[in-house]
Amino acid sequence: MQTARLNIIGMDHEGCADRLTVALEAVTGVATVCVSLARHGATVQFDERLATQERLLAAVNDAGFMGESSDEEQLPSCSGACGHCRY
């Protein structure tokens, strides 16, 4: 499993976070998605044999947002308490 951390531009309410979560979960090979509205980011665990970071970013763009890779270690508010994490 590989972990991608993405910065998301254009996400400003919970409906956006929900839409982004669904879009990322639809990518073949994605195991977990945690979207943080407060941090404007997402952490995605995926099988690198089935998915790529480019496919994740394409899903973000297709959902109507702009995404970019992040070097951030993890999203601190991504503990599952936000209700957007799906494990």
Side-chain angles (χ1 to χ4, degrees):
M1 282 294 167
Q2 187 171 342
T3 301
R5 290 158 188 92
L6 309 173
N7 294 322
I8 309 297
I9 300 165
M11 184 172 59
D12 58 2
H13 57 79
E14 285 194 39
C16 292
D18 290 340
R19 188 169 77 231
L20 182 59
T21 299
V22 170
L24 288 168
E25 286 177 336
V27 175
T28 301
V30 168
T32 63
V33 175
C34 183
V35 175
S36 173
L37 180 61
R39 306 259 317 154
H40 298 283
T43 301
V44 183
Q45 287 187 324
F46 62 98
D47 183 336
E48 61 276 3
R49 295 170 296 169
L50 301 172
T52 63
Q53 205 161 34
E54 290 76 22
R55 285 187 184 155
L56 299 176
L57 290 171
V60 170
N61 291 333
D62 289 347
F65 306 101
M66 290 177 37
E68 62 186 17
S69 297
S70 173
D71 294 331
E72 190 174 347
E73 278 300 308
Q74 70 180 44
L75 297 172
S77 62
C78 193
S79 64
C82 67
H84 293 291
C85 299
R86 311 243 202 280
Y87 293 102

